[in-house]
Amino acid sequence: MVRGRISRLSVRDVRFPTSLGGHGSDAMHTDPDYSAAYVVIETDAEDGIKGCGITFTLGKGTEVVVCAVNALAHHVLNKDLKDIVGDFRGFYRQLTSDGQLRWIGPEKGVVHLATAAVLNAVWDLWAKQEGKPVWKLLVDMDPRTLVSCIDFRYITDVLTEEDALELLQKGQVGKKEREKQMLAQGYPAYTTSCAWLGYSDDTLKQLCAQALKDGWTRFKVKVGADLQDDVRRCQIIRDMIGPEKTLMMDANQRWDVPEAVEWMSKLAKFKPLWIEEPTSPDDILGHAAISKALVPLGIGIATGEQCHNRVIFKQLLQAKALQFLQIDSCRLGSVNENLSVLLMAKKFEIPVCPHAGGVGLCELVQHLIIFDYISVSASLKNRMCEYVDHLHEHFEYPVMIQRASYMPPKDPGYSTEMKEESVKKHQYPDGEVWKKLLAAQEN
Ligand SMILES: C[C@H](O)[C@@H](O)CC(=O)C(=O)O
Ligand SMILES: [Mg+2]
């Protein structure tokens, strides 16, 4: 049973110096320090259960997200959890429609990242109180309750409440078998960890050899800064993985539209399944033009990790601008908004391949994609979830990968509770790790 009144919300700026090793680097984000605004909510219930949520950031700017979380806190404090989840659509609407704060959004940018952190913590708390991992909480929920968590504002021209209900009711068929299948085999994953842009060719080769030994069959390589470098790196990786294994490419928004088409025509010989974020994430028609040019070459368009909200996804789908849709657990307004995007993807029959390149994103998004398979898509065709092999050791309930697949988490919650010791050490700027690094920079 859901219980307790939210009595405290705290938020901390936690940063990991990943830029020192080039981990996470790409053509636009050359020095990312994987970071999180880490939210913990407590209740007055006697169980002592806390809800933990994050939103992912890249270092600088995390303090701005922390401010935005604090600005939203009054919407959560002193509310009964029962009232929040009993009218989750209304609560989502309240957070995203704050008459003053929405001016610095709406439903986009820092304020939306902060919304995700707060709501991720609420979902963690709810699932922990129910004694279930979030994916299972969602799978066991009846379609009407699921639909009651979604704000359909701005998307009813493609997905109404009735459409959503119908899709979820259809998804009930065969659900038990798919749950069993997930528990036995897990959800297929691909790795990005071998080929960050800042890695040397030697590191790329070494990590790729190890990944092959570990059973990985799908790989993503960063491209977009220098064509000669891209050709060399793609040749290395294609030679190592052979012609059959799957290769994806990610340009992280580096190109203009014609440049994207020209550049990818030169990389087409490496047979990428998709080019990810070829241009600005806001350019829906640009994505459509790139897609029109590249699909005949066998290259699909993937995007979503920096799509502001469900409206952008709606238009990408309407414009036939993508072949692979990449939800993000922190960019969108938590589970609530992701549910609406999963359902729109189902309606347009576009496979969802979630983004997970960041701290804690693998932990979160595994819940959404496992739920999607069991209750919505019922298909694994052309579907896989990103995996990056960084920073899992800082979480109490880290992801478990077996045979290159995500095994469904069994612990209650949303899997992003961090180890207190890790938070203390990496808190910016006064955690032990940062004190040392900042002192070294001064000398
Ligand atoms: C800055 C991040 O590491 C980004 O490169 C992640 C990404 O694009 C992905 O995982 O995809
Ligand atoms: Mg990407």
Side-chain angles (χ1 to χ4, degrees):
M1 272 300 284
V2 185
R3 55 198 170 269
R5 180 174 285 245
I6 313 288
S7 52
R8 183 161 185 263
L9 181 150
S10 67
V11 53
R12 290 147 94 184
D13 177 341
V14 186
R15 305 186 190 185
F16 299 91
T18 42
S19 61
L20 297 177
H23 314 304
S25 55
D26 63 49
M28 293 296 258
H29 313 103
T30 49
D31 59 350
D33 284 333
Y34 275 8
S35 308
Y38 179 55
V39 174
V40 178
I41 52 180
E42 293 168 44
T43 74
D44 60 6
E46 279 173 8
D47 55 23
I49 294 176
K50 295 176 184 179
C52 305
I54 63 158
T55 199
F56 169 59
T57 47
L58 286 189
K60 288 187 205 108
T62 311
E63 70 273 32
V64 185
V65 184
V66 165
C67 282
V69 168
N70 281 321
L72 286 168
H74 68 281
H75 288 290
V76 189
L77 286 169
N78 299 317
K79 291 260 157 59
D80 279 342
L81 184 62
K82 181 165 52 56
D83 294 337
I84 291 178
V85 305
D87 176 21
F88 221 153
R89 178 185 301 162
F91 184 67
Y92 178 91
R93 180 78 67 95
Q94 188 189 330
L95 272 191
T96 54
S97 306
D98 180 299
Q100 295 184 358
L101 286 174
R102 79 179 297 284
W103 198 258
I104 57 167
E107 292 184 85
K108 61 168 88 70
V110 171
V111 77
H112 211 40
L113 291 170
T115 301
V118 171
L119 289 176
N120 284 340
V122 172
W123 278 95
D124 184 60
L125 180 62
W126 186 11
K128 281 177 176 163
Q129 287 197 357
E130 300 284 0
K132 294 178 183 182
V134 161
W135 69 266
K136 180 70 172 149
L137 177 70
L138 294 170
V139 162
D140 289 349
M141 234 178 240
D142 71 276
R144 276 191 194 282
T145 312
L146 280 167
V147 163
S148 76
C149 297
I150 300 173
D151 187 353
F152 288 90
R153 181 148 73 178
Y154 310 133
I155 58 170
T156 51
D157 47 337
V158 306
L159 186 82
T160 61
E161 200 170 331
E162 293 70 39
D163 296 334
L165 206 52
E166 196 183 319
L167 290 172
L168 287 165
Q169 267 150 1
K170 279 193 187 139
Q172 300 291 301
V173 182
K175 215 169 84 168
K176 284 246 152 4
E177 290 69 32
R178 290 194 292 279
E179 183 174 336
K180 257 193 216 152
Q181 181 194 348
M182 281 292 107
L183 288 166
Q185 294 165 19
Y187 195 93
Y190 74 85
T191 177
T192 307
S193 289
C194 311
W196 298 112
L197 206 66
Y199 283 176
S200 68
D201 290 355
D202 280 347
T203 304
L204 164 64
K205 286 179 198 163
Q206 192 197 321
L207 292 174
C208 190
Q210 188 57 51
L212 284 163
K213 258 194 215 152
D214 294 342
W216 289 94
T217 59
R218 306 174 186 96
F219 299 80
K220 189 161 85 186
V221 56
K222 295 286 177 179
V223 295
D226 178 279
L227 184 58
Q228 292 319 312
D229 278 352
D230 288 352
V231 170
R232 194 187 67 254
R233 285 157 45 79
C234 290
Q235 187 73 59
I236 292 174
I237 196 162
R238 187 42 99 191
D239 285 348
M240 288 188 76
I241 68 177
E244 300 306 326
K245 293 196 173 63
T246 309
L247 183 62
M248 282 80 67
M249 297 179 185
D250 188 355
N252 288 89
Q253 314 158 26
R254 180 68 185 239
W255 304 313
D256 280 10
V257 172
E259 195 182 11
V261 174
E262 205 180 312
W263 201 296
M264 282 313 296
S265 304
K266 306 239 167 66
L267 297 181
K269 62 181 174 187
F270 301 110
K271 302 272 173 246
L273 176 67
W274 76 51
I275 176 64
E276 181 171 322
E277 292 202 297
T279 193
S280 161
D282 299 351
D283 189 354
I284 293 148
L285 298 183
H287 278 84
I290 298 168
S291 166
K292 204 166 169 199
L294 294 184
V295 166
L297 304 182
I299 306 170
I301 306 303
T303 192
E305 68 184 66
Q306 293 216 18
C307 280
H308 301 304
N309 53 45
R310 62 194 178 285
V311 185
I312 304 286
F313 279 112
K314 178 188 78 172
Q315 290 200 13
L316 285 164
L317 290 164
Q318 286 175 309
K320 299 190 178 23
L322 80 179
Q323 283 67 48
F324 301 91
L325 184 151
Q326 299 177 300
I327 54 165
D328 185 292
S329 51
C330 297
R331 180 75 52 183
L332 293 179
S334 189
V335 177
N336 312 65
E337 195 171 27
N338 271 294
L339 285 174
S340 68
V341 176
L342 293 176
L343 289 162
M344 286 194 285
K346 170 71 179 172
K347 184 158 179 194
F348 283 84
E349 292 182 7
I350 291 293
V352 176
C353 299
H355 169 240
V359 60
L361 297 186
C362 298
E363 273 71 18
L364 287 166
V365 88
Q366 60 179 338
H367 291 269
L368 301 178
I369 202 64
I370 289 168
F371 158 75
D372 181 59
Y373 175 64
I374 298 172
S375 298
V376 182
S377 77
S379 166
L380 291 178
K381 189 164 174 238
N382 272 332
R383 289 158 194 275
M384 52 194 144
C385 186
E386 182 174 23
Y387 176 71
V388 300
D389 197 9
H390 306 291
L391 308 171
H392 302 291
E393 67 278 17
H394 300 293
F395 291 89
E396 292 286 357
Y397 312 105
V399 285
M400 206 211 293
I401 297 286
Q402 279 175 16
R403 301 174 301 277
S405 296
Y406 279 91
M407 300 314 290
K410 299 212 166 115
D411 295 294
Y414 208 177
S415 308
T416 45
E417 181 165 343
M418 295 180 100
K419 292 181 178 161
E420 183 52 30
E421 201 193 325
S422 292
V423 175
K424 274 201 185 124
K425 267 195 189 158
H426 294 91
Q427 205 161 317
Y428 188 87
D430 45 12
E432 183 187 310
V433 166
W434 287 105
K435 266 195 191 153
K436 268 194 208 144
L437 281 169
L438 295 171
Q441 271 170 24
E442 271 170 23
N443 296 327

